[in-house]
Amino acid sequence: MIHKKSAEILAALGIESRTSGACTGEWLESSGEILTSLDPATGAPLAEVRGCAPADCNVVVEAARARFAEWRMRPAPERGRAVQRLGELLREHKHALGALISLEMGKIRSEGLGEVQEMIDVCDFAVGLSRQLYGLTIQSERPRHRLIEQWRPLGPVAVLTAFNFPMAVWAWNAAIAAVCGHPCVWKPSPTTPLCAIAVQRICNQVMQEHAAPGLFNLCAGGADVGRWMSDEPRFPLVSFTGSIPVGREVAARVAGRLGRSLLELGGNNGIVVLDDANLELAVRAIAFGAVGTAGQRCTSTRRVFAQRGIARQLSERLVRAYATVSIGDPLADGVLMGPLASRAAVGAYVSAVGRAVEQGGELLCGGAPLERPGFFVQPTIVRAPAHERFPLAFEETFAPILYVFEVDDLDEALAAHNAVPQGLSSAIFTESLRSAEKFLSALGSDCGIANVNAGTSGAEIGGAFGGEKDTGGGRESGSDAWKAYMRRQTCTINWGDDLPLAQGVEFL
Ligand code: NAD
């Protein structure tokens, strides 16, 4: 039985209770497994989406290939106008899309709206980029020769996404890829297919207005569809966002056919708080980083390294801040934490809390699921023993569990901070210029993102986003991340009457 509010959100975006998960601008008959979307706040089903079987995927890839043949020859600024239109339509539907994210994924309304804003921002960025995509001119060693470096499109891009940013991760890829000259085929998480259907409906309008069917394509499904896409040579680039174990498999499959992968995998993010920190800022940043999105962001704060002088005070203030967090319906006013995404996630939370205590952690607050329908848990703080004696600190548990470690100084904090396999986001709170600069130096954080007096979570789209080590090394979104979507071509142009060879080689 669909709740009245849920029905209204789905109706506002034209989502029916049973729908196909294959689209190229036209909805196709799909014949794969049925994906049931659940409301994590109640556990009740919202709608069913029929996923893709390999034959359906094949039709979708062929549509993308056909569009690529034409799209790559449109001037990039013209491609940008299609992305501009996408941004306009996202603005128009921002409220409804944000509500759908909250409904299907469980993040609170403000964060759902923030996710849609991120899509709008990346569209704006991509439109500007469509008049850039700069190459270099390089000095040649040969007379009357010129060297240039230019960037050309690769071909259709497979975009495999995680449940926790059910729309924005697609936009980071699709908006940039489209201006670079590529159609995308999107395989969303099987737990959030309705978010993908809603975005696809908007894309269909863009494709119709810009005579570009096959530009934005959908291939819903589970792991089988993801494997099929990873193995598929018609995708020169596979952009994968998700967990480290699955990322490893995708990377191996794509590498096996010498394709290119762009990996955005799990994080295990830490904040260092030194004795001289502004604790007011630190507490707010840690609370948002650890509790926001119920601890289900790749950039969520999981580890805090508190210098001994402020450690006790910081923990007490965090416990007090956590007590004010209202938990409940993510669409309700004033709620700061919604449910976890699934029953399995609640199981992983319970298991992690149990292991934290077994490994010598002390529960400072939280630690249990809530007795109510849906997948709710308490945000949890654990005072942890030394980092190296606490194996749990090396894992990403996708839940609102924060481990607080006491350290003597910045060097001890950095050693522990960098000891984990993941390397996504990091932060330091300090008023010391020296400590901040050390954190950002080659001796400092080994992550793709390192912040000073700002938390680990909530990146802007203007920077390149991604992480090192097991996080996969990929960069998406802003800066020059667009280069990952293109092939670099080095060109030598001889405008003389002679044929001098490089390095002075003589021949004929
Ligand atoms: P997941 O790895 O379970 O699934 C991600 C996607 O991979 C889904 O679409 C899934 O259907 C697909 N998939 C599953 N098995 C596959 C296989 N064998 N081959 C190909 N595809 C397969 O991840 P999740 O639980 O949806 O998302 C949470 C994870 O994503 C966390 O680890 C989080 O840190 C990470 N994440 C990273 C970033 C980033 O930018 N670094 C952003 C968001 C989420």
Side-chain angles (χ1 to χ4, degrees):
M1 173 65 190
I2 298 185
H3 190 271
K4 183 162 166 281
K5 189 166 60 183
S6 313
E8 278 168 15
I9 293 168
L10 299 181
L13 291 161
I15 296 175
E16 290 162 5
S17 57
R18 290 223 170 99
T19 172
S20 157
C23 189
T24 60
E26 297 281 330
W27 292 97
L28 310 174
E29 286 275 318
S30 51
S31 51
E33 63 171 323
I34 291 196
L35 313 171
T36 304
S37 168
L38 299 181
D39 174 356
T42 60
L46 292 167
E48 287 183 348
V49 173
R50 170 74 76 177
C52 290
D56 310 321
C57 300
N58 196 46
V59 175
V60 176
V61 182
E62 280 307 309
R65 262 162 67 92
R67 178 53 46 207
F68 177 62
E70 182 273 339
W71 188 250
R72 64 184 161 179
M73 289 308 294
R74 285 202 205 182
E78 191 186 323
R79 302 195 293 246
R81 279 194 285 281
V83 175
Q84 186 172 13
R85 182 66 181 134
L86 175 62
E88 283 165 10
L89 290 171
L90 292 171
R91 273 187 180 88
E92 215 172 278
H93 296 285
K94 178 174 171 179
H95 197 80
L97 290 169
L100 177 60
I101 293 172
S102 299
L103 179 67
E104 193 180 35
M105 186 272 156
K107 63 178 73 173
I108 61 169
R109 188 185 286 276
S110 159
E111 291 186 282
L113 291 172
E115 176 161 350
V116 184
Q117 186 59 46
E118 196 168 336
M119 302 166 79
I120 295 167
D121 292 345
V122 87
C123 286
D124 288 351
F125 180 88
V127 174
L129 193 61
S130 72
R131 291 191 177 266
Q132 300 177 49
L133 303 176
Y134 299 132
L136 291 174
T137 303
I138 300 160
Q139 296 303 314
S140 171
E141 67 189 44
R142 288 171 279 183
R144 295 174 188 244
H145 279 57
R146 188 161 69 88
L147 284 179
I148 60 167
E149 202 173 75
Q150 58 177 3
W151 295 88
R152 294 291 181 216
L154 283 167
V157 179
V159 181
L160 313 183
T161 59
F163 77 86
N164 64 331
F165 277 86
M167 294 186 192
V169 169
W170 168 82
W172 292 353
N173 284 280
I176 304 284
V179 299
C180 289
H182 311 97
C184 281
V185 178
W186 182 14
K187 193 209 85 61
S189 165
T191 57
T192 52
L194 303 185
C195 285
I197 301 278
V199 170
Q200 184 66 37
R201 286 175 58 86
I202 288 172
C203 289
N204 288 355
Q205 186 175 338
V206 174
M207 289 189 278
Q208 195 183 20
E209 291 175 13
H210 287 262
L215 178 60
F216 300 118
N217 307 282
L218 182 66
C219 231
D224 53 340
V225 175
R227 285 192 197 99
W228 188 91
M229 289 172 75
S230 306
D231 287 338
E232 177 50 60
R234 285 172 289 178
F235 292 118
L237 174 65
V238 176
S239 173
F240 175 83
T241 302
S243 60
I244 292 169
V246 177
R248 260 188 229 291
E249 179 182 339
V250 169
R253 285 175 183 272
V254 177
R257 60 175 174 85
L258 299 182
R260 199 190 282 186
S261 52
L262 200 175
L263 301 173
E264 297 283 355
L265 312 181
N268 185 1
N269 314 294
I271 296 186
V272 177
V273 186
L274 297 184
D275 283 346
D276 63 5
N278 178 330
L279 287 191
E280 177 65 25
L281 296 190
V283 168
R284 284 174 54 202
I286 295 167
F288 174 61
V291 178
T293 324
Q296 300 168 106
R297 288 190 183 212
C298 51
T299 52
S300 287
T301 309
R302 313 206 173 281
R303 301 175 298 142
V304 164
F305 301 96
Q307 200 171 2
R308 252 175 248 292
I310 48 84
R312 180 163 292 276
Q313 193 195 348
L314 179 69
S315 294
E316 284 167 3
R317 287 176 74 158
L318 281 170
V319 169
R320 282 204 297 277
Y322 272 44
T324 67
V325 171
S326 52
I327 305 169
D329 174 359
L331 286 159
D333 289 342
V335 166
L336 290 184
M337 196 180 107
L340 290 178
S342 63
R343 198 171 302 287
V346 176
Y349 163 90
V350 170
S351 154
V353 170
R355 283 187 297 149
V357 173
E358 273 166 33
Q359 292 174 15
E362 178 195 346
L363 270 182
L364 297 184
C365 66
L370 295 189
E371 296 292 329
R372 57 177 285 173
F375 311 131
F376 291 91
V377 300
Q378 295 170 330
T380 300
I381 303 177
V382 175
R383 179 183 290 140
H387 194 265
E388 67 277 11
R389 287 191 280 109
F390 194 64
L392 207 50
F394 292 74
E395 291 172 24
E396 178 196 46
T397 302
F398 230 43
I401 309 177
L402 181 71
Y403 309 121
V404 181
F405 303 90
E406 279 190 28
V407 292
D408 283 332
D409 54 25
L410 177 56
D411 287 342
E412 185 187 343
L414 281 170
H417 175 273
N418 291 348
V420 298
Q422 309 84 351
L424 182 51
S425 187
S426 60
I428 187 168
F429 282 78
T430 178
E431 295 293 294
S432 154
L433 178 69
R434 274 189 191 202
S435 301
E437 287 290 347
K438 184 166 193 179
F439 187 76
L440 301 182
S441 77
L443 298 171
S445 161
D446 62 1
C447 290
I449 297 169
N451 300 331
V452 175
N453 294 332
T456 58
S457 183
E460 299 180 25
I461 64 96
F465 181 91
E468 302 301 332
K469 303 194 288 184
D470 284 4
T471 301
R475 291 296 185 280
E476 285 179 359
S477 195
S479 184
D480 65 353
W482 60 271
K483 290 180 176 170
Y485 298 81
M486 304 200 85
R487 61 187 165 85
R488 182 195 307 247
Q489 190 168 58
T490 304
C491 313
T492 306
I493 301 147
N494 175 5
W495 57 280
D497 300 324
D498 202 359
L499 193 72
L501 299 179
Q503 295 89 41
V505 171
E506 304 268 354
F507 202 80
L508 277 185

